[in-house]
Structure formats: structure tokens, C-alpha cells
Amino acid sequence: MQLAVWTYEGPPHVGAMRVATAMQDLHYVLHAPQGDTYADLLFTMIERRGKRPPVTYTTFQARDLGKDTASIFQNAARDAYERFAPKALLVGASCTAELIQDDPAGLAEALELPCPVIPLELPSYQRKENWGAAETFYRVVRQLVDREVRPAPREGRRPLVNLLGPCALGFRHRDDVAEVRRLLDSIGIDVNCVAPLDAAPDDIRTLGRADFNIVLYPEVGGEAARWLDQALHQPAIRTVPIGVGATREFIREVAALAGVDASAALDDATSRMPWWSRSVDSTYLTGKRVFIFGDATHAITAARIAHEELGFDICGLGCYNREFAREMRAAAALYDIEPLITDDHLLVEDAILNASPELVLGTQMERHIAKRFGIPCAVISSPVHVQDFPARHSPQMGFEGANVIFDTWVHPLVMGLEEHLLTMFRDDFEFSDEAGPSHLHGAARSHRSESAPSPSDARAADVADASLVSQGDLAEARPAGTAISWTAEAEQELRKVPFFVRGKVRRNTEAFAVSQGRGAVDLATLYDAKAHYAR
Amino acid sequence: MSPGESVLGCAPAAQPQVLRERGQREVFCGLTGIIWMHRKMQDAFFLVVGSRTCAHLLQSAAGVMIFAEPRFATAIIEERDLAGMADCQDELDRIVDKLLARRPEIRTLFLVGSCPSEVIKLDLGKAAQRLDGKFAGSVRILNYSGSGIETTFTEGEDACLTALVPEMPSADAGEATNLLIVGALPDIVEDQFKRLFDELGIGPVHFLPAKRMAELPKVGPNTVFLLAQPFLTETTGALQRRGAKRLDALFPFGAEGTTDWLRAAAESFGIDRMHFNRVVAPGRERAKRAIAHRRERLEGKRITFLPDSQLELPLARFLHTELGMMPVEVGTPYLNRELNGRELALLPTSTRLSEGQDVDLQLDRVRLDRPDLTVCGLGLANPLEAEGLSTKWAIELVFSPIHGFEQAGDLAELFARPLRRRDILRV
């Protein structure tokens, strides 16, 4: 058993729902107990869909067990077919139905429905949401693709591609698709089919018409693309165009494979991000410590942007989807760090605390961790809440995506001039660092401006909170059990250090004091330590 | 006497027919009750023993609350547990140890059963007993089931309170009559009721659930109790088995419901009628005034309730008798005729009552009826709005303070707001 307060991913049948909901003319009959319908509200509320997800649940109850759950399933499948007349039917079981061992595949087959029935085997006790989505999409493609459909001769037509992976409940999938379509159009490439998003079974049937595939989200589209490569010899582009560098690389690869000239697209005039990043106002971004966590694809692309395009220092990098551990390890090696591959948010919290970043890029969960510790944060990956399904156009991919990313990531940081003022006028009550950045919930910090906690208070709090660190901010958080005391003078001096590096200075100084065998930190120790670490 | 004037005790033929359907049910499971129960019981922790689906459900239903270091969590059953490679009872011990070390302030730990734990017949009763012995003196460990196969939404609270009843100390037969208010209420509502009972001279009054385990009230043959919520069938049975007596009343929604509810207690305590009227009059008048502000918008409007919380019947009664709305269909996941007898008698006979659900058929009826307002869950609300039907999402009725005189206006406003918004918008 695993203790979980928060999960990054839902069960695999939610992944299947994401594929079913993304598509048209497809219906999913899910053998599941009463209550599992909760998942509908992810689509109707978070994504604000105006239609019910195309899912029929059998919603069996205790009194049905051992008697007629199988016939309940068959009735539900028959009724769903009659009511919704889908062009293909997905059938499967949720975690509880997996235990009662009815066989949705066999039961549905016995009904002899006049449409393809695609059985899903989703092991709920081993796998999770992303895997469920990838497997479902792969099953759909494998069963529906017409292997006879091949690309038309190339003469006299533009190259044709499929975009694989965009899905319901995907982080910015809607706008990414629009952005990539525009980009491809600008270099003379047409899109045959986007799938699963908005694709009907008939569209899936003709995937073979495309010259090659573009995998926008490996988490969902990777498996299907691999199979299409094997079965139809359709090659796939796997570079994900998030960030200016990655977008250029993507354009070059696509252009090479399609045999088109892409030089015009490479220096796109609407790409403002490179100049924004080079302008002197951005100088203060240099070497900012950033902690990155999310799904592997978004985390890896974010790391590249942070490192190459914004000049940040990457102090932590990880993902929650174990399926992409290899890719994550390779990426982390580029920055000489040990990747964090876990779905336990408490471990992520510890890692953030230890890395003492100045900016966190993560999911909804990291946003809340960062808020608790008073660290600026931006969201780069699912799971996300309703505010990250915005009404406005906000892609992550392509040059416009890079523009969006620049604004999104820089916004939470203290502005350069403001940071300077905070340091210069730190004893001025209006500029005191407890007031926090003016554009970000400044009140959140104000409760600490009353009086500085005395060292002994802080230590008592540390002990009480040793395992939790449930309050306070990162800058003040200290490992439990440190026996180093601070003189009042040194403590006062420490408070003049900007709050976002104070925790690190405190830890470094204490470590230095211990290594030197000094029992207390006084002013001299503080500055000796500063000199020591400056080497 | 015409059927419209019928009161409790009339022939059952005067009650509307009940439609019973079996099909897809678009409802929450009882685990959802944890979200409000854990706010109410401040030294309790709820550990669901279930699957990733259960954890995901709690997280989706709890919205942002999940990030405040909530006092609930899920022990996710894994492949190893199912294959018998790990002993579930040992695993549970390990997780409970870890949890209690992390949260030493916890005094009650509920092991909450789920569909997977029920289906594999994991004996959480036994686990609770064993762990209770292990942590004797510091933490009480109890169990109940919030599984979807057994409970619907608010029935989770019923199951939880039922598990608490045996923990209540016994009151001696010789003790004075005490009043118990049963059902989790927001603190502010609890305090309002407490003040009213004080003024009436009714006491001692206690609440179930209590804020802390140590404050669990006594129960015995001299206990009378009022249900604050209509979904407490099992809890009612458990209290009655301990000798307590239920006072029959309307549920305390609106001016009339709250007056009737208070009157049941006053009569049981032999409170003078004049005194009762004097004490209740100011609150009752305020409630009527507040309701009147919304009457114009709601009067004559047709409303349908889809099944969700069992609050549907008393709320339909309130909207009908005090705001002049016309219930078209009132769906409830489970209909307890005994607890709802007085409510049923006040609904117009034209009301279509339905128990259980086949959601597709029910939505067909909604589309045919085209009520002015449909009360439904979040999975249905936006799709119905997109079809041009106004909705009120039901879960808010469980989370918001809606009981008593002072909340009557707010309760009416919850139904008036979607209609007002519809009138305002020009996009």
C-alpha cells in the first residue's frame, strides 16, 4: 500500500476517458461502481466542456455483486449504442470492476454490435492516467487504421502530416495545436489528422494518408506513433517544439523530412522572446536558481528553456511519470544534476526545500508548495486547475508559445529594479522585504513583519514542525536539530540579506561554523563564511 | 379537507407516486462526505483504504482544500497487496504507524472502506479493532464504509456517525432529558441554534458529531434527538437502539421548516407556547423578510431536482411552500418515508417523485419538461447550461450554511442567483 494525500495522475481509466472525450463519434462503456462518475466533472468543470463526456458507466451497487453485474454491463453497452450511435465503442473496467472479473471484451463481443468494439485492458493497480491515455489511443489506432490507405504520390501536392497526442484535459493542447498548424502551414505542410483531439473513427481510419507523424505529446501519442512506424512505415518527429531553440530544431527536422525550405519560418518576426531575454532588463535573471517538476515532456523542455534561453541555474529537475524516467535521466545529466523521479509530492516538497530555488516551475501541486514557502512559481504542466484552461490563446509550443512562456515565468519574479530597491532600502518600511513583491499577493508575507522571531522561537517551531514544515517559508526553514546558535548581532545582519537567499546563507554559514568547530555564529563567522563560499 | 391541506397522519394515498429507475447513476460515493466531516471533527483523520481512483476522487471533489494539509488521505492498494505478496493487514499497520507519527495530534482515526476494499473483503473492522488496542489511550480507531457500492454521497456522513454512536457515553436512566442535534452543521449555524435553545430554556443540548472525540455527548433512554439532515437513516436506527427517541419534524430549512423543527423540541421539553412564540418570532420574521426579497424572482418557476444528497425533498418543500416554486420532478438517491413524512405531505400532489436513477432517461424528461431551474451535479450542470437550461449545482447545498432562520435568505438566494444571472447576461 502507498499512502497518498495528493496524486499527480488519476487511474488509467481516466486516461481512457481523456481519449474518448477528445474524440468524436466514439463512446466508452465503463464497468464501474456508483460514484466513479465523479470523473465527468474534470471535463465539464476544469476544461469547461459544454457536453457530457461520451462515457456510460454501469454504476453497479453492492446488491448487484455476485448476481448480474455482467448483464448490467451488457444492458449498458446495448443502451449506449442505441442512444449515441457511435462509430466505435470502447469497453473496459475501472479498478473495482477489474476485481470482480467480468470480461467487458467478451461481454461486448457477444452483443454483436454493428460497430467496432475496442476492448481496453488497463491495469488499475499498476498503471496510471498517462499510461491509460497512451494505451487507449494505441488500441484505437491499431484497431481502426486502414492499412491499405497510403500517401498519394508526392508530385503536385503539399506534404501531409498527422499530429498525434493532443487530448482532452491536456495542458494547453488546444492552443498548441493551433500554433503548430500555423507553423506547418507557413512552411507549406498540411495536416491530415489531429488525433485524438477532435478526430472521429473515420479520421483514424485514414491516418495512413500522411507522409509522416508528429508526436506533440509523447505521453499520449508515443505508443501509437511507434506502431504506425512499424505497421505503415510512417516515420515520426519526436522533437517537442517548446522553447525557441526546440522550435527551430523542430522546424529543421520537419522541413528535412518533408523536403521543404523552412528558412522563412526560422526567423519568425513574431518571436519576441529572444530579444526580451537579451534586453538589459533581463540581466538580473542570470543564474536565478530554478526548480522544475512536471510531466517529463514539459519538465525537460522547460529545463532547456531555463538554461539556454533565460540563463537560469537549474537546481532541481524531475517528473512524476516513471514511464519517461530514461528521457528524464538523460536530460538531467546535461545539467549535472540527479533527477527526481517520484509521484510522492512530499518528496518533491523536501527536494524543493533542500534546493532553495528562487523560482519553481511545476504543476498545480508545486504552485501550492511554493506558495506555502513564499517562493515565486509558474505552472508548466498538468495536473492543473481551471485557471490553466484559459479563455485567451496561450500556447506553450512554437514561437508564440515561447513568448507566452517568457511572460509567464518572469512575471512571478521580483522585477529587476524592484529587487534592487528592496536591497537598497531594506530598512525603509515601505520597501522592507517583508512587504514582498508589489505585484504578487504582498499581504501574504506581512504577518512576519511584526517582529523578527527570536532564534529560540524559531528553533522551537523547527522542532515542532520537524517532519512537516507545514508553515513558514523556505528562506527561514532550517533542518531540524541544528545546534548552532546565532548572536543577536549576526541574526540582525542575516535579516539584511534578501529573503530569497537568506535560508541558503543561514545553512551555509551554519555548515561553515560546524566545519570550523565554532559553537556560535557571530558577525565574523558570518562574513568568514561569505568569503569562504565566494571562492 | 382537500388533499392540499393534508397533514401528517392522512391516508398515504394523498402522497405522490414514486418512480423507481435502475440505470446509470450520476452521483458521488460516500467517500465525499470526508471533505466536510474532517472540517467538523477537528481531531479526526480519515484514512481511505482504496485505489488511486478513490484518491483522485477526493482530490477532485475537495478542490483547493487538498493543499491545506488536510486530515484525510488514501492508502492506495497496489498489485502486491492484491497478489497476496504483501499482507494487507500488515501494510495497513505500517501506514497507520507512519501516519500517526506524522500527525501526533490526531485523536480519532477512521479507516474508511471503499469499493475495492469491500470487494476484496478486506476486514477493516478487524484492523480497526487491532490498531485500536495498539494505540489504546491515545487514539481511537474506528471504521465505516464510504464505498460507492454501498453509499451515495451524504450517506457517507450517515455511515460515519453510525460508527460514532457506540462510542458515545451512556446516560443513566435517572438523568434529566437531554436534546441531541444530529448531523454535521457549520459552526455558525450550530451556535445560532444553541442560542435559540438557551432562550427557549431547552437543555442540555449537544451536537453529533462533536468537534472533538472527548466531547462526544451522552446518550440514553432520556435522550431525545432532532435530525438536522434528512440522510441519517442508519444513525437514527443506532441512536434508537441506545434508547434515544427521535422527534418528528420538518427539516430546518426556511422560516416554516425551522419553526416546526424548533417546535418539536419545545413541545418535547414542555415549553410554554407563548414563550416559544416570543423567542422564535424575531428570527422567524427576519427569515420571512429575507425570503420575500427573492420571492418575486422564484414564484411560479418550475424546478427539477436530480438525485444527489437526499436534501432534495425538504428543499423542494421549502421552495414550494415559502417561495411559491413548482416542483416538477424531485429525484432522490434514497427515499426514507418515515423521516420525510411531513415533508412529503407538503409537496403538491402533481410532483413527480423519483428514487434512484437512470440518468439518460431522467435527462430526457428534463429536456421534455424544460423546468426553469434544474438542480444537478457538476458533471451535468455545464452540459445542461449549454442546452439553454438554467442549473443550480447541488454540491453547494451541502457545503454552504443553509439551515435555520438566519440562512433562509441565503438559501433562497442560491436558487435565485442562476436565474438572475441569466437575466443579466448580454453575451
Side-chain angles (χ1 to χ4, degrees), chain A residues 1-7 9-11 13-14 33-38 40-42 44-45 48-52 55-65 72 83-84 95-96 99-100 125-129 343 346 364-365 368 372 385 467-468, chain B residues 22-29 47 49 51-53 55-57 59-60 66-67 69-70 72-79 81-82 88 91-92 94-95 99 102 115-116 119-120 122 148-152 359-361 363-364 378-380 382-383 386:
Chain A
M1 284 183 197
Q2 185 205 349
L3 183 61
V5 178
W6 207 82
T7 61
E9 291 183 78
H13 73 258
V14 169
Q34 167 178 277
D36 277 9
T37 51
Y38 80 88
D40 282 359
L41 68 87
L42 303 173
T44 58
M45 298 304 290
R48 282 190 240 242
R49 284 183 178 256
K51 268 163 113 180
R52 291 172 63 204
V55 182
T56 293
Y57 306 78
T58 55
T59 59
F60 56 82
Q61 292 172 272
R63 60 167 182 260
D64 305 319
L65 291 178
I72 288 176
R83 176 173 285 268
F84 300 103
C95 52
T96 303
L99 297 173
I100 62 175
Y125 298 90
Q126 291 170 0
R127 304 293 191 159
K128 291 179 280 188
E129 181 178 330
D343 61 355
L346 295 173
Q364 184 67 17
M365 192 60 213
H368 284 267
R372 188 130 46 102
H385 209 51
S467 57
L468 283 187
Chain B
R22 170 73 186 85
Q24 177 178 328
R25 294 169 68 113
E26 184 88 14
V27 289
F28 281 125
C29 64
L47 179 65
V49 182
S51 64
R52 180 168 297 282
T53 312
H56 196 235
L57 156 90
Q59 162 176 335
S60 310
I66 196 95
F67 303 105
E69 186 76 23
F72 59 82
T74 310
I76 297 182
I77 298 170
E78 295 173 298
E79 193 72 13
D81 305 303
L82 295 176
C88 281
E91 284 290 287
L92 207 49
R94 178 178 65 79
I95 282 188
L99 187 69
R102 191 177 151 80
C115 301
V119 167
I120 63 171
L122 177 54
I149 56 177
E150 292 157 307
T151 57
T152 304
V359 71
D360 286 313
L361 296 181
L363 289 174
D364 287 346
L378 289 173
L380 300 173
N382 269 337

Side-chain angles (χ1 to χ4, degrees), chain B residues 124-244:
Chain B
L124 291 183
K126 192 175 114 193
Q129 233 173 30
R130 180 184 63 245
L131 286 161
D132 196 51
K134 182 172 167 186
F135 292 96
S138 60
V139 189
R140 281 298 274 144
I141 297 176
L142 304 173
N143 102 288
Y144 71 90
S145 172
S147 75
I149 56 177
E150 292 157 307
T151 57
T152 304
F153 196 29
T154 48
E155 284 172 8
E157 174 173 337
D158 192 23
C160 174
L161 296 188
T162 306
L164 278 177
V165 172
E167 303 301 307
M168 297 166 76
S170 292
D172 292 333
E175 283 185 42
T177 307
N178 65 335
L179 175 65
L180 190 62
I181 307 301
V182 188
L185 291 169
D187 290 350
I188 183 167
V189 177
E190 218 175 274
D191 293 344
Q192 287 166 4
F193 283 148
K194 231 183 276 178
R195 282 196 296 270
L196 276 170
F197 287 125
D198 276 353
E199 278 184 66
L200 285 167
I202 293 173
V205 179
H206 298 286
F207 292 83
L208 180 70
K211 282 201 184 79
R212 293 170 198 292
M213 193 62 178
E215 294 161 12
L216 264 187
K218 288 181 178 179
V219 65
N222 292 326
T223 304
V224 294
F225 66 95
L226 270 176
L227 292 182
Q229 304 280 19
F231 44 74
L232 299 172
T233 299
E234 299 297 323
T235 311
T236 299
L239 286 168
Q240 284 168 339
R241 283 193 290 282
R242 292 200 59 181

Side-chain angles (χ1 to χ4, degrees), chain A residues 143-429:
Chain A
Q143 187 151 342
L144 295 182
V145 155
D146 183 345
R147 299 190 191 210
E148 305 303 314
V149 175
R150 305 299 303 142
R154 269 302 299 275
E155 293 79 40
R157 70 167 174 92
R158 308 215 306 176
L160 206 53
V161 299
N162 297 314
L163 302 183
L164 303 183
C167 198
L169 269 186
F171 176 66
R172 308 296 167 88
H173 287 199
R174 176 196 70 193
D175 300 338
D176 283 347
V177 167
E179 208 48 40
V180 171
R181 265 181 187 281
R182 205 177 53 79
L183 204 155
L184 291 172
D185 184 56
S186 75
I187 56 175
I189 295 176
D190 287 336
V191 173
N192 173 52
C193 177
V194 178
L197 193 63
D198 294 330
D202 283 342
D203 301 321
I204 302 291
R205 214 158 267 131
T206 60
L207 281 179
R209 265 206 318 241
D211 299 302
F212 59 95
N213 291 311
I214 291 174
V215 184
L216 289 186
Y217 307 99
E219 271 85 354
V220 181
E223 254 336 281
R226 236 185 304 279
W227 183 79
L228 286 166
D229 196 357
Q230 269 173 19
L232 303 185
H233 309 293
Q234 263 181 332
I237 298 281
R238 289 172 184 279
T239 298
V240 177
I242 301 181
V244 170
T247 298
R248 288 189 179 137
E249 208 170 296
F250 171 84
I251 293 171
R252 281 193 206 97
E253 283 178 33
V254 170
L257 196 54
V260 297
D261 175 25
S263 46
L266 284 172
D267 27 67
D268 186 321
T270 64
S271 179
R272 296 181 201 96
M273 196 271 204
W275 165 243
W276 251 242
S277 192
R278 282 174 192 279
S279 78
V280 291
D281 189 57
S282 299
T283 312
Y284 79 105
L285 298 175
T286 315
K288 285 248 185 242
R289 295 165 56 78
V290 57
F291 187 99
I292 303 171
F293 194 83
D295 68 38
T297 299
H298 285 92
I300 291 170
T301 50
R304 179 170 173 187
I305 299 170
H307 182 72
E308 294 178 3
E309 300 174 20
L310 287 166
F312 290 153
D313 256 4
I314 295 166
C315 65
L317 177 61
C319 68
Y320 55 77
N321 46 344
R322 207 164 280 283
E323 292 87 353
F324 288 77
R326 186 184 304 169
E327 288 85 342
M328 179 48 78
R329 275 194 213 97
L334 297 176
Y335 314 107
D336 249 352
I337 51 175
E338 196 55 39
L340 176 67
I341 296 160
T342 179
D343 61 355
D344 182 346
H345 71 96
L346 295 173
L347 292 181
V348 178
E349 184 173 298
D350 287 347
I352 291 178
L353 215 54
N354 285 330
S356 44
E358 291 160 74
L359 175 68
V360 173
L361 302 174
T363 71
Q364 184 67 17
M365 192 60 213
E366 283 68 47
R367 166 143 70 199
H368 284 267
I369 293 171
K371 188 155 120 197
R372 188 130 46 102
F373 297 126
I375 314 169
C377 177
V379 169
I380 57 159
S381 154
S382 290
V384 294
H385 209 51
V386 62
Q387 68 265 42
D388 279 302
F389 285 91
R392 64 179 186 277
H393 183 61
S394 335
Q396 299 287 291
M397 292 184 177
F399 293 122
E400 182 57 22
N403 293 343
V404 169
I405 285 172
F406 181 90
D407 288 346
T408 310
W409 295 10
V410 170
H411 173 87
L413 293 169
V414 184
M415 303 296 178
L417 184 61
E418 190 172 14
E419 177 176 318
H420 183 63
L421 291 174
L422 282 178
T423 318
M424 255 176 71
F425 302 114
R426 67 170 78 89
D427 291 326
D428 182 316
F429 73 98

Side-chain angles (χ1 to χ4, degrees), chain A residues 125-139:
Chain A
Y125 298 90
Q126 291 170 0
R127 304 293 191 159
K128 291 179 280 188
E129 181 178 330
N130 276 324
W131 188 89
E135 171 73 8
T136 303
F137 184 47
Y138 159 68
R139 292 282 159 197

